[in-house]
Amino acid sequence: MIAANKPNKIARYGMSIDLDRCTGCGACMVACAVENNVPPAHEGATARKGITWIRVFKVDNGEEGPARRSVFVPVLCQQCGEDTPCVHVCPQQAVEVDPATGIVGQMPERCLGCRYCMAACPYHARFFNWWDPQWPAGMEKTLNPDVAPRMRGVVEKCNFCHGRWHAAKERAAAAGKSEIEAGAYVPACVESCPTGAIRFGDLKDAASEPAVAAKDAHSFRLLEKLGTEPKIYYHSKRDWVRQVAAAPKPPNGKENARG
Amino acid sequence: MPFLAGALAALGAGWVGFPHAIYKSRPQPVDFSHKVHAEKAGTKCEDCHAFREDGTFAGIPSLSTCAACHAAPMGTTAAEKNFIDAYVTPNREPDWASYAQQPENVFFSHITHVKLGQLKCEQCHGDQGASDKLRPYQVDRISGYSRDIWGRTLFQSKAAGAVPGMKMDDCVDCHRKQGLSHSCLDCHK
Amino acid sequence: MQRTRRDILLFMGGGAAGAMLTPAPWRLVTDAAIWSENWPGIPRPARGEITARYTNCALCPAGCAVRARCVAGQPVSLAGVAGNPLSQGALCAFGLTGHQLPYHPQRLKQGTPEEAAAAVRGAMAKCGAGESVAVLDLAPGRAASWTYRRAMAAVANGVYLAPPPPLGGAAVNLAKARTVLSLGAPLLDGWGTPGNVHAARANFRLIQAEPWESRTAALADEWLPIRPGSEAALALALKDPKTAPSAAQATGLTEKQILDLANELTANGPALVLSADDLPEALALNHALGAWGQTLVARPEVPVPDAWKKAAPERVVASVPDNSIRVLFIDESVPGSHIPWGAIEKKLVRDNPVVVAFAWTLEGYGRHAQFTLPTAVYPELTSDIPPAIDSPAATFRISVSLVAPPAGMADPSAFIAKAAGIDAGNALQERADAIHKSGRGTLFTYADGKSTPLKDIKPDAFWKSLNEGATWLGGAEEPLTRRRGDAEEIPGELPSEAPRLRVSASDTFPLLVAFTTPTPATLSSPLMSKLYQDSDLRMAPNTAALHPDTARASGITGASRAVLETQYGRCAIGVIPDESVPPGMLEVAAGPEILDICGAFTRAKVVAA
Amino acid sequence: MLPWNYGFHWTAGTMIFMGAFYTVVVIVASTLVNAALRSRRALRTRQAERIRWAEDFHDLPARDRQCRHVLTGEFGYRECPNAFDCRQCETHAKLVASAAPDRISEPEEDIFGMAFPLDRVYHRGHTWVHSEPDGTVTVGLDDLGRRLLGEPDRVDLPQPGGRVSVNGTAWHAHKRNADVRILSPVDGEIVATGGPDAPWYLRIRPDRMDFRNLLGGHEIRPWVMREMERLQLALSAEGAAPTLADGGVPVQDIAAVYPQADWDAVCGEMFLEA
Amino acid sequence: MDREFITRGVKRCSGGKFLLWILPWVAMLIFGLYSAGLCLVKGLNQTNMDNRFAFGLWIFLDLTVIALGAGAFFTGFLLYILKMKELRAVINSAVVIGVVCYSGAMCALAVDVGQPLRFWFTFWYPNVHSMLTEVTFCITCYLTVLMIEYLPIVLKNRKLRDVPEFLVFEHELHKLIYVLAGVGTFLSFFHQGSLGGLYGVLRGRPFAFREGLAIWPSTFFLFILSAAAVGPSFVLLTTWLVEKISKKRLVRPEAMQMLGRISGLLLAVYVLLKTIDTLVWINRTSPGNGFPAAQYYAWHPFGTWILFTEIALLGMVPALILLTPKLRARTGWLVSAAAMACCGVALNRFVQTVQTLAVPTLSFDKFMTYTPSWQEVGTFLAVLAYGVLVYSFSFRYFQLFPDERELKLEVAQVEEEPALVGRY
């Protein structure tokens, strides 16, 4: 969707998430909401109507009793690099892959709210504003000025904290540089993760943590076979955990009411 | 014949009446002359419209900047007296309206354009700095956006010599000419 | 000229055609679309200069260092302070949203301080022999706590009450531990200082003995699923292998597992044993394993001015005779351990006790108190934070006020001091001066991330630094000395037949309660709804999960409402059937109501609503 | 959408897509404009009446569109290709040329008691044309038409000076719920108007004395027989009891006999109006 | 009182009776408009859709209704382009059905989007790679075309026809109708296909994803074919229903049978291709994306029965019935088969829209169910009531079945035959 670019440095921002470190504390989810002005849940919101750009799922190995083991899997927009499913379905160019960063951007101001992109996303990483955003009286004072609140009726999703990218760009410009230095820009979830399970960097920079993680034998991406080349790498030394990347298993008849 | 009359009436209303009706206008709180200040206070825009240390743009100067000189009346004009009485003495920030205020969803970095892009202030803001009077601030009644960024007439922004507009199209035009990237989230937030 | 209908139609048609050639309709259409970007109800974030300010989180005893990103002075987001020796740049989900608490819809805004003062005066005058005036301090160890203790010392019959200190007041040195056995302690989920725990995590092997797969169990190196309530038996058996067979029976583990574990704890030391309920058996086991002085240390006291030393002793609620407290002040302005109201209530005199709660929300004790005086809440308040449980060193740091508290907020220490007739003074600064006078330790300042020996700092600069975000770290730990209550609380020998606590289920309250929410504060930021309402990451407050069989036995079908009952009372909760919760257990997400009826060692029952 | 629009890309996909879109828009718009222009021209050239008749004729059931020469038995089956305007019909011209001239034995045909004078020619919409000595013609309703309408509730006659055209509207007659447009048998200018009580409805100065489109002589009887059949059909379709078929004579006011019949439908059928 | 608006010679029930007929529909429409209004004013939180079920009842409705409305373009195509004269008897009715279906779908879509005020963005900033863009453009254009095709039917109303301008314009427009029929066919071809492509291109939804030709997945072609197959069936079904409700003969049996035959033929081809497509998908496409196809049908209540019902029970069976002349000649069989075909396509659209979203993609996802809220159902009913009302009014005031008058006379003639024979 974008025309020519200056020979700016082309980045491919990506993430690595170490599932062996994630405690499921939810700090990333909360930090994300704070950073991106996502309102608290409307009273009618449920886990299926909520807005959680990053959402931590509790996944178990399907065993019963003491054999049951769980892992926490943070899922955010996987920033697909090829055949990005949501981009070419949007009827009005409200979704695009920024060629300079590889970030899949969603423009709430352009969005019609048709939700076709949500149907297209295999990761369910897109969220619809079912309600107008509402903060308790006074709490709007704590909104982040770098991110515009979205209105009801549009889709939104993780954009690697684009406000922070803007800020980093501006800081670089103030220093007279046109490029962001490695580490000068990290999304809020990365910064907030108390265990450092989430790492962020430029996949083109071989020294960056995600790039290193991408080459690790214990790394995997979700639904890799779809061929969408997601840029979020998960990592776990546990074999069964790596199975979460695969397609769902048919139900065993018992449903957990949670998670 | 009635058809023509109807068409003419609509044309008149649409071209003359409507542009007036769509904007709400309010005067600036203080009778301020850029020209006078440029002569007496500072020659460069940055003298008052300064950058902060971290590179962000402070925009319209706060009262403290004004009060640095205007602690006491510097002239005898009514406007001066009014300014001192209404704002400086009670230490109340004037409710300036920014003509160039971009919508909430726009990210604009002054320092990037000034420092990296080497743009002159006039390139976007026109000769505001040489004006003797502040024109009233006009705002679109429905969209709530300043007329300066949303409501130049169709032809004005493209006409030679006119102040470049501050609509998205104008930004994109320039970026395109410079061969700069312009993905949506480059400028939107 | 005669006007026909046809003419009018033509006129209108011409008007429509003409209008299409003007900007009006197009402008209206585009304006309407733009209006949808900022229609009423969508707030506009304030703009202004962006600065960083520093404070310490007062939402739990960890007191993590906080960098607040402020826009025109208003904090808009919080983050940890990288390089802080204890919190290591980490904040938990609660802490990350602390800056929103002042705007909580359930924030208490008004109180009646004069009436409360008058009632207190009256009651204190009426206070007879055997009756007492008491302060319940949920977060002891602060400068304000010292004020309370001084006040209570000044009042005849004054009593200073605090929750029992965990681990008998000892501090944990996780950095030294090679093996950690956690008997249900939520080590990775809200225990201690998150940053410190996660930093140390790489160096020790974590064995979690817990009936259900808690978050800690899920991430432990080894999870030993034991039967609910058998932690004490396990601890006993680990200390005394003779009891292994009975412990095996109680826990459901094999004898070999227990013996292997015991061997591992000794072989791969230093070891540390933690327990959710602060079991005496766990303390005894630590003792036996030689953890004292290694992984469990006595933290040096944070200096106080000498003038304060004449203070009332710290007592636990249980030690006060029933029906003896005539005036009770409860300071819950800073969250701390929660004591069930039922336990407090029976200590009050029968006729017209006066209870004054200092709280920022009515969701805590305020619901039971005659007077609830609104207080500032983090990050409005200014208060020091006592050292965290996992800080082997003495620390002093201040939760700095980042937002001006609204008018009409009560200052609990000033109120209580005035009631007791003493001068509260500027306790915080006085204490800072006392620390400075001691000349020990270093000061870690947040903005520059530097550590400076205290002796290189002037008193004023020290005070200034503390108010701009800094931590004073005392020197190395002192050698362990037995302190208050140690002798009573660490059992040397326990009756061999008796895991003293709850191995068999009682008939009245058959279910064991396990809390899933770390730091059960009465209220948290509305944004926490991300974790329990917008996603299923955690259970919503006042909800419980239990095994479907347990639910069926309690007459509950499917996800529904139910009533939770403990020895302290009952309240309505939501229940969710979940097979991952073992039978006989109740996994509870605490909310104000549940906190009110649950103590630290809770058995409960659930009945259909 | 447009090249100067933000987000427009000169890619093959865009060009194909937008090209197809604009083509469709152009085709649809030009079709509309074309239809409008044609309508304007038709209105200017006063073709509304011709078009109305063309459509009405087109909407008639096939068996009612039959050529007059089928009525006389010259053809087994033939649909009129000229909307009953035989003046331009080559077949008709040929057949007339080859046929023997009418021998007029009686001054009028009496069919089921209805008088059809042979001194005039008849339109299939039940009007007749009678040449007057002054070069004008008078136009009136034939006996069946008269009886169908009986005593009309109202008759709307055009103003003298107006024009009528063949198969166009001559006047309107109202009877009960029926609003009938009586078709004009001739082209011409109205000179005077009469009415139900006068011997004729209109006096017209015809453009040409060309009445080849009208029925006369020996054609009248089979035509009227066929019309009676149609009447009967129409009546029975309306649920009226078929009394005519029994050999009865149409009464002066047929409508009065069938109070329950939808007279509008019957008249529409009989006066060739859709 | 409205007599003068009713086509001459056809019988319509009394005004009172008509009022009685439309009253429940009007009530339903008002309720539906209220529901839709709630969704527009308060937002889509009024629905039970959610982030997982981003599409719900409405999209299913749109897809189904547009498939059923395909009779308009296909009948037009057969009549005006392939010159199948018999279909003149139903073309007006087919056009009205088309108008109703398409405009109804558009209205439902306008409620379905989160920001209706931005409806024009799709036109102004189209992403030509999106199937939805194609759908939007084509449906809008085609609805315009349908409206223009509907115009002559309206203008031919007895009263309106008295205005010479209307009369002449109607006449001239009708002469050019073949152009519109051609354009309509082109547009319909694409948007029916794009509606199929809508889900077929979803790489992230292996249940719906299909390979195909160039940019078009196989569902693109299957949708065209199924819509063309079911369009005539729906026209047939509607005609039969109208005949039953109005107690009149409106269309000759030959026309009905012709519709049935065309429908059967296309349905047979469709079922064949659909079977091939399903086999390719099961053995190649889906496993290639890492999803063994069998697992989709392990989520109850969606089992393989749904596949069987869709293809065999509601596809092959009606096709065979419609292709058997003997069965086709019997109204009962003909109509039942047509109804089955319609249901089959509706089921296909249901599977495409609802099942696709219900089936999980991530391993820790759950199978989702979804029940529409009353506001959604209300809006659905509004579209239904709107359709019935528009059709009822059209049937009452416009000449939807040109043969009606003739058939009425024919009926009379058959009854009168003995008498006439005796006479002549």
Side-chain angles (χ1 to χ4, degrees), chain D residues 3-272:
Chain D
W4 55 83
N5 217 340
Y6 182 74
F8 187 90
H9 309 288
W10 287 106
T11 58
T14 309
M15 285 195 277
I16 295 170
F17 186 93
M18 296 318 297
F21 170 68
Y22 287 123
T23 310
V24 166
V25 169
V26 166
I27 292 176
V28 171
S30 60
T31 308
L32 270 181
V33 170
N34 193 356
L37 286 177
R38 284 177 183 214
S39 312
R40 210 168 95 110
R41 199 169 57 213
L43 282 171
R44 286 245 168 115
T45 52
R46 297 168 194 284
Q47 295 201 52
E49 288 297 324
R50 186 189 61 75
I51 287 170
R52 188 191 301 278
W53 167 245
E55 284 201 349
D56 282 1
F57 177 78
H58 186 73
D59 286 348
L60 286 176
R63 53 160 200 280
D64 292 349
R65 291 198 301 255
Q66 284 194 9
C67 172
R68 61 204 279 185
H69 297 286
V70 175
L71 297 176
T72 57
E74 287 155 277
F75 285 117
Y77 182 84
R78 181 171 188 262
E79 265 183 47
C80 173
N82 296 317
F84 290 166
D85 192 350
C86 312
R87 293 176 298 183
Q88 32 193 305
C89 181
E90 290 174 16
T91 315
H92 177 65
K94 268 186 234 157
L95 285 168
V96 169
S98 63
D102 264 356
R103 45 179 181 80
I104 297 164
S105 52
E106 289 176 51
E108 65 175 44
E109 288 268 20
D110 181 315
I111 306 162
F112 293 123
M114 294 182 292
F116 283 84
L118 294 176
D119 62 345
R120 53 198 72 180
V121 279
Y122 293 86
H123 186 258
R124 290 174 76 155
H126 296 283
T127 47
W128 50 252
V129 175
H130 187 253
S131 301
E132 297 297 326
D134 58 355
T136 62
V137 292
T138 47
V139 174
L141 274 181
D142 70 13
D143 211 3
L144 179 54
R146 201 173 50 74
R147 287 170 199 239
L148 279 169
L149 292 176
E151 188 73 30
D153 300 339
R154 201 178 84 227
V155 172
D156 298 338
L157 290 169
Q159 294 292 318
R163 284 194 56 86
V164 290
S165 56
V166 167
N167 297 330
T169 311
W171 71 87
H172 287 269
H174 299 264
K175 173 69 174 179
R176 228 154 76 197
N177 67 342
D179 170 10
V180 193
R181 204 154 37 79
I182 307 293
L183 302 183
S184 166
V186 292
D187 297 319
E189 186 192 340
I190 299 161
V191 178
T193 56
D197 303 325
W200 40 262
Y201 275 77
L202 299 177
R203 180 184 284 272
I204 290 171
R205 187 182 313 285
D207 297 346
R208 287 185 307 276
M209 283 293 180
D210 181 354
F211 305 130
R212 277 177 297 167
N213 56 324
L214 302 177
L215 305 171
H218 68 280
E219 289 167 323
I220 293 170
R221 178 165 287 275
W223 167 61
V224 174
M225 295 298 281
R226 168 80 187 133
E227 288 298 293
M228 292 305 289
E229 203 178 295
R230 291 207 317 128
L231 174 59
Q232 196 172 359
L233 199 59
L235 281 172
S236 55
E238 293 305 326
T243 49
L244 277 170
D246 305 339
V249 171
V251 294
Q252 286 298 314
D253 187 349
I254 305 176
V257 186
Y258 302 103
Q260 76 279 35
D262 179 359
W263 211 244
D264 187 43
V266 173
C267 287
E269 201 67 36
M270 298 310 293
F271 289 102
L272 300 180

Side-chain angles (χ1 to χ4, degrees), chain C residues 147-174:
Chain C
T147 307
Y148 303 149
R149 291 173 66 176
R150 281 157 55 209
M152 289 305 103
V155 171
N157 313 331
V159 176
Y160 172 79
L161 299 171
L167 297 170
V172 169
N173 189 354
L174 267 182

Side-chain angles (χ1 to χ4, degrees), chain E residues 240-307:
Chain E
W240 178 80
L241 265 176
V242 177
E243 280 191 343
K244 283 291 146 201
I245 292 169
S246 68
K247 301 196 190 69
K248 285 183 191 62
R249 284 196 56 205
L250 302 171
V251 168
R252 288 175 210 285
E254 303 86 73
M256 294 278 255
Q257 285 183 32
M258 175 141 203
L259 286 172
R261 206 184 62 189
I262 295 164
S263 203
L265 201 67
L266 287 166
L267 201 57
V269 179
Y270 164 69
V271 167
L272 179 71
L273 292 180
K274 169 82 188 169
T275 311
I276 296 172
D277 172 65
T278 307
L279 290 173
V280 170
W281 168 70
I282 289 175
N283 292 308
R284 212 178 91 111
T285 319
S286 190
N289 281 330
F291 284 72
Q295 60 119 340
Y296 301 124
Y297 297 100
W299 310 93
H300 297 290
F302 293 149
T304 35
W305 64 267
I306 213 164
L307 202 62

Side-chain angles (χ1 to χ4, degrees), chain B residues 45-125:
Chain B
C45 301
E46 299 93 282
D47 291 341
C48 294
H49 301 281
F51 287 101
R52 299 192 190 100
E53 263 178 49
D54 61 353
T56 53
F57 184 63
I60 296 172
S62 62
L63 186 66
S64 56
T65 314
C66 307
C69 299
H70 290 268
M74 295 187 72
T76 53
T77 58
E80 176 77 20
K81 187 176 175 320
N82 184 33
F83 175 65
I84 301 287
D85 291 350
Y87 300 103
V88 180
T89 313
N91 196 22
R92 188 163 70 92
E93 287 285 341
D95 184 18
W96 296 108
S98 170
Y99 302 115
Q101 179 78 68
Q102 287 288 335
E104 188 53 48
N105 55 55
V106 175
F107 168 80
F108 180 82
S109 166
H110 270 94
I111 194 105
T112 311
H113 288 82
V114 173
K115 193 161 180 176
L116 285 187
Q118 299 286 317
L119 290 192
K120 296 252 170 356
C121 303
E122 292 79 13
Q123 233 155 323
C124 299
H125 294 280

